[in-house]
Amino acid sequence: MTRKTAIIVGNGKLQRDLSQIVDSAEFTMRFNEPKTSIGMSGSRTDILMLAASSKPMQRRLTDSAFLTSATFKAAREVVLAYHPDIIRLYHPKPNFLSRLKGRRSDWTMRTIELVGAAGKEIRIMPPQFYIEGCAELGVTESRMCQLFPSTGFFGIRYALSQLPADEWDVKLCGFSWEGWKRHAWLDERRWVADRIASGRISLLI
């Protein structure tokens, strides 16, 4: 039986134009603001996974360009990677002066309001999904207030849980495993390398 193709597009630079390959896939996932790959990764977006926490999400929610972007408009479903309980328990909190400026750590409800008003289906991943993901990366309870797995990692993990290996060929592109210093980049790179070695996923380059 011929397997279907799923492509998970990270927010890093692409080496070539993959638009035709991505748009012809049966499933495509993207994350937050995929600006770097605009024009090189097509437009299909079955799932857009967002991190409804911290300053970047506040900026997106106050920027009309985000809600009118091609990626957001194409998204069939929006998935919030971090449950509010996880944000409350583990994620960084803005300091007093930042709070006076309107900063807060959890933008879940505002995200639901705006995404829902745009007619998108919304899914919030349960707390256990986050905890189990940390365990797979080796991020122990004592480190969960210092290291935070990325939406990219959780997106890949979620896609693999939903797409059976005997039916789907899962490919990654645009992942550099670098960025915010408090993401668990080394652990995530190792986790992905293990699944590439096992044949569960492959790289689209």
Side-chain angles (χ1 to χ4, degrees):
M1 182 179 69
T2 302
R3 293 190 297 170
K4 293 175 283 189
T5 299
I7 300 181
I8 304 177
V9 184
N11 291 339
K13 292 182 179 179
L14 301 178
Q15 300 303 312
R16 62 188 177 100
D17 190 342
L18 300 173
S19 298
Q20 185 174 354
I21 298 173
V22 173
D23 283 345
S24 64
E26 284 81 11
F27 174 89
T28 299
M29 172 182 279
R30 303 176 195 267
F31 308 93
N32 296 316
E33 294 174 276
K35 294 179 178 179
T36 307
S37 66
I38 288 177
M40 297 184 69
S41 66
S43 61
R44 176 164 187 153
T45 308
D46 294 277
I47 289 181
L48 176 64
M49 181 167 276
L50 299 177
S53 61
S54 70
K55 189 175 182 178
M57 194 65 205
Q58 179 183 12
R59 175 174 48 78
R60 293 182 199 110
L61 296 176
T62 55
D63 181 3
S64 60
F66 174 69
L67 296 177
T68 58
S69 67
T71 298
F72 182 82
K73 291 172 69 175
R76 299 184 182 183
E77 180 180 3
V78 172
V79 174
L80 305 186
Y82 308 134
H83 190 278
D85 287 349
I86 292 298
I87 297 173
R88 177 177 54 83
L89 288 172
Y90 301 113
H91 284 209
K93 307 296 187 294
N95 60 35
F96 177 72
L97 289 178
S98 294
R99 291 197 299 272
L100 289 179
K101 297 176 182 178
R103 286 276 310 280
R104 56 178 186 259
S105 57
D106 186 359
W107 293 94
T108 302
M109 292 310 299
R110 184 58 178 158
T111 301
I112 290 173
E113 291 173 5
L114 293 179
V115 171
K120 303 295 183 182
E121 181 177 342
I122 307 168
R123 182 187 305 272
I124 303 175
M125 298 309 297
Q128 193 60 32
F129 177 77
Y130 185 91
I131 293 169
E132 290 172 354
C134 286
E136 285 188 23
L137 291 181
V139 178
T140 60
E141 175 74 24
S142 62
R143 299 167 68 210
M144 286 172 65
C145 289
Q146 288 81 43
L147 282 178
F148 312 95
S150 69
T151 51
F153 162 72
F154 282 118
I156 297 169
R157 184 173 183 271
Y158 178 67
L160 294 182
S161 73
Q162 300 297 306
L163 307 175
D166 61 341
E167 298 178 17
W168 289 88
D169 180 16
V170 180
K171 299 179 180 293
L172 308 184
C173 63
F175 284 88
S176 61
W177 310 114
E178 59 186 14
W180 188 40
K181 63 182 180 181
R182 299 184 76 173
H183 281 325
W185 295 125
L186 292 178
D187 297 322
E188 293 184 20
R189 185 188 291 270
R190 170 189 53 77
W191 185 89
V192 168
D194 288 346
R195 279 144 190 82
I196 292 174
S198 71
R200 183 64 175 99
I201 57 179
S202 62
L203 298 180
L204 177 62
I205 56 177

